[in-house]
Amino acid sequence: MKEYLTVKGRIFDMQRFSVHDGPGIRTIVFLKGCPLRCRWCCNPESQKYDIQEMTLGGKTKTVGRDVTVAEVIDEVEKDRVYYKRSGGGMTLSGGESLMQPEFATALLKAAKERSINTAMESTGFADFSVIERYLQDLDLYLMDIKHIDSEKHKAFTGQPNERILENAKKIAESGTRLIVRTPVIPTFNATKEEISAIAEFASGLKGVTEMHLLPYHRIGMDKYAGLKRDYTLKDLEPPSKELMNELLAVVNSYGLKGQIGG
Amino acid sequence: MAEFYSEKIAKSPRIDLLKADLFKEMPQIEADRAVLLTKSYMDTEGQPITLRRAKAFEYILDNIPITIRDRELIVGSATKRPRSCQVFPEYSFEWLESEFDTLATRTADPFYISEDTKKTLHEVYKYWKGKTTSELATAYMTPETLMAIKHNMFTPGNYFYNGIGHVTVNYAEVLAIGFSGIIEKVEKEMATMRVTDANYCKKNVFLQSVLISLKAAIRYAERYSALAKELAAKEGDAARRAELEKIAKNCARVPKYGAKDFYEALQSFWFVQMLIQTESSGHSISPGRFDQYMYPYYLISRENGMTREEAQELIDCVWVKLNDLNKCRDAASAEGFAGYSLFQNLIAGGQDEAGNDATNDLSFMTITATENVFLPQPSFSVRVWNGSPHEFLLRAAELTRTGIGFPAYYNDEVIIPALMSRGLTLEEARDYNIIGCVEPQKAGKTDGWHDAAFYNMMRPLEMVFKNGVEDGENVGLSTGDVSSLKTFADFYGAYKKQNDYFISLLVNADNAIDNAHATLCPLPFMSCMVEDCIKRGKSVQEGGAIYNFTGPQGFGIANMTDAMWAVKTLVYEEKKYTLEDFKNADKDNYGKDMDEHAAEKLTLAICKELKKQGKDLTESDIKTTYETVRKNPCSAEKKAFYDEMLKAIDALPKYGNDVKEVDSFARDIAYLYTKEVEKYENPRGGRFQAGLYPVSANVPLGAQTGATPDGRLAFTPIADGVGPMAGRDVKGPTAACNSVSTLDHYIASNGTLFNMKFHPTALAGRHGLENFVALVQGYFDRKGSHMQFNVVSRETLRDAQKHPEKYKGLVVRVAGYSALFTTLSRSLQEDIIRRTEQGSF
């Protein structure tokens, strides 16, 4: 077996027939561990690198397992025929794939060697020298840009945004296809002005033509209790359809192809 | 450049009015046909049976009341009232008489029957005692077969109680040359015959019978022509008067002559379609490749100035008429075929005989008709191959998204070679269509006997545990007490023995019924539109068709696989449990209370018995009985033991999750049925071929099956189609597709059925449609044969909240995410249900 196939990494889930994170029918590999602590995060079990226990519906399950690249790629291979028919492939998500460079780059390499399309959903929060290693085997970078104001970014995600914005420019320069994705979170960025600032930034990135607005939802709320953590956005209502449409118009006004949802 | 006109064509206001009329009252039983048939039979005693059938058909068509419903453009009704049904005492009658008083109140497919009709039928039935196909079939069956049927090992009830149906006749020929053309063909054939020919007598009778039937059908159409003229004369509204005059003209010309234009072709088609269902009660009379044989007439009319809207309205009218026909089945069968369904399967798209893509504008218009009319008939299907136009598949996916459950998708790349392996030529196989649910055949050349019996694969397994004895009766073989089965090979072998035995009895049952139909109910009218009946001088029922099959369908692969895997692992490999434990689990229902539905049924039966004995029962007596019946009597200790056992079973890998070892095992288990079945021959000179699908019988037949080693509780449903057991597939649609496509779909040439559930939002937007089409194509690339989709409604989501265990695999779209519905919080579930209601996604 080729050596890179034996590289181990830590994932917490794999999801087949995923149709919202990259083109076509995809298999998502969720890597464990994230440098950000977004308050709305729908996968709070993804944040810590450590293997954890989470209780949902009265059942306690272990979150996180160590697997080899070969194990993951075998699972990814199973849906090859559907990738071929739909233009789909593999998407790395998390957590943050940039936290496990050896494993994640080996996964991308394994996929590309098998002619499987690759995408990565990522915050871009890492040294560019790390990111660079991913780009050669990556077909699509789905990059989260959550806010232009660094302080507000830090208040809601635990990290400032300068490095993220800088990396976005460099990724765009590199020629890798980049789509900007923005979670729309009321009280954080769900205003025309804030979305406008992000859209303006996105439209200035070389070659970037698409921007996705992902409306806030409460899918992960129960998981916080399952991890014995507080959910600080308890009373937050998802943005209305009307508001989403208004924000979409803002995005489109910058000459970008906007889209609601992935 | 657009090759097709693929736009939706708006629905004419007429269609909703026709629909409203169709559904304004409960369907009824009408006695006219039975009375006329019986009168004719009484007058023809002693004559050859084929001739008697033709004379009865003639007498019925000359005398049965006819009606033209308000606003109809396509006419011809089998009953005075819409959606009602005639009865067919020549096949069976006792069940109907015994169900007279419950017909209107039963849950599955109720029918109103008036006291007058009851009286009339009661009189008619006096004649039929000892003369029906069901009685003759019973006489032909061995005692072992009758015992197996009594114990629900399999149910050949469909053809036992009814006509065979399940045919697509050569519509194209009738449209081209009319019945007068076929009459000429018959006369030509008769001219070649000599009275000294060995088969002269029977052939002559058959051909005479065809002539009588065709001439009767022509006169029947002429009665409509006269009626239309009469109505036109009285009609005050000028527009309707013109319509009636046109109807009068049409019915004077077709089906007597070849059709000149699209309207005539549709009217001609309709007479053929409804008259086949007047001659016999068989269902699944399938229009087949309507978009192909109608296309030349469509082109002529378009050339002559007919607009697309006018054409669409006429097609929609035919769709409405297909829902005007109905059939009353016995209570048990009604549950197996729930939904008043006649399974008139109509298919669009696919290849022509030369292998070119055959999609045309009419293919798209049949999709639009299904959307416009939005009723259960026709059973609408599409053919998919590697050269299918993408826009056609997208348009089909749009129809799926409406939640109507149509179209069913069929894979040319599997079905064509599968049919060739049964002896069809490449050209014939390329021209296949679907009969009834999922059964492929070549139109106008085949008597497929496609729905020959339901075979419950779980019952022989129960017989292994019961050593062939049930309720003190010898039903199966003695394969030894389970304690004597020392290895898994012993156990598997015991199942195979029981299974082979019951399949042999099923063959006996089917062939007995087959012979009874040939002897008592040959159908000269239908037969003259199936090759090679005229040349051979015999009816389809006597082997007149070129291709003859018998296709009994097995079901329960998922449960069998999971059960065998559980026994193999837990008994023979891990030695955690013994076969006795599984035997007791069957007896004790794993310590669980009885299924609600089954308990209700049993309570009803007990109360009925008590009432018969003259006991007065209060509400609370009935309640107590129910509670006693339902409650499991096991001790707490035993219950705890079974809970552990169920946990151990639950932890095993299951069919439907793309686990290679399990899926290969399923393939072998399916072979136990398919390979055994195809060893046998039928009396029409053809072979048996297996199907793998239960229609909706997995529910009622599950209600006759005890607890099984896969952890399935007693009397609960068995898995649907070839799909995974409900709730056991947790890896999503592609994993389920991969598991199911591991089965050999070629050998199951009588069809396989794979149902999937989706939430409408999973198909949202252009992306949703594209991914959906890719999923179908992916499954077909892996050589699956059929797929259909239940795009789930709000009601289903509500049910999923109540019974999450049944819906573990249900995918819904949540904002930008897709998720398993049952894993979401209650409040989010409510969110989604609300959004579904508004349809605002």
Side-chain angles (χ1 to χ4, degrees), chain A residues 6 8 40 51 78 110 126 168 214 218 236:
Chain A
T6 63
K8 275 197 165 184
W40 57 84
I51 289 169
K78 287 182 172 174
L214 312 178
R218 292 177 283 201
L236 201 61

Side-chain angles (χ1 to χ4, degrees), chain B residues 370 375-381 396-409 788-789:
Chain B
T370 306
L375 288 175
Q377 294 296 307
S379 289
F380 183 68
S381 307
E398 270 184 328
L399 179 60
T400 296
R401 185 162 63 186
T402 65
I404 191 175
F406 298 133
Y409 297 79
Q788 70 191 24
F789 298 86

Side-chain angles (χ1 to χ4, degrees), chain A residues 75-93:
Chain A
E75 185 74 8
V76 170
E77 272 281 3
K78 287 182 172 174
D79 280 353
R80 170 182 287 280
V81 65
Y82 309 98
Y83 309 150
K84 190 177 128 202
R85 283 292 186 178
S86 65
M90 177 183 80
T91 297
L92 301 185
S93 183

Side-chain angles (χ1 to χ4, degrees), chain B residues 280-297:
Chain B
S280 160
S281 63
H283 67 233
S284 297
I285 307 300
S286 299
R289 306 192 76 183
F290 184 89
D291 61 338
Q292 302 303 306
Y293 56 74
M294 282 295 168
Y295 193 55
Y297 304 94

Side-chain angles (χ1 to χ4, degrees), chain A residues 15-17 19-20 24-25 42-43 75 78-79 81-82 84-86 215 217-219 221-222 241 259 261-262, chain B residues 386 658 733-735 737-738 758 771 774-775 777-779 781-782 813 816-819 824-825 828 831 840:
Chain A
Q15 192 185 320
R16 296 167 64 175
F17 194 69
V19 292
H20 309 300
I25 295 171
C42 63
N43 288 331
E75 185 74 8
K78 287 182 172 174
D79 280 353
V81 65
Y82 309 98
K84 190 177 128 202
R85 283 292 186 178
S86 65
H217 58 76
R218 292 177 283 201
I219 192 168
M221 200 162 77
D222 298 349
K241 207 175 165 179
Q259 176 181 317
Chain B
N386 285 335
D658 205 0
T734 52
C737 283
N738 286 356
F758 275 95
N771 289 329
L775 180 72
Q777 290 181 309
Y779 175 67
D781 285 343
R782 297 186 62 124
R813 188 170 183 207
Y817 271 71
S818 284
L824 302 174
S825 71
L828 197 63
D831 251 339
S840 66

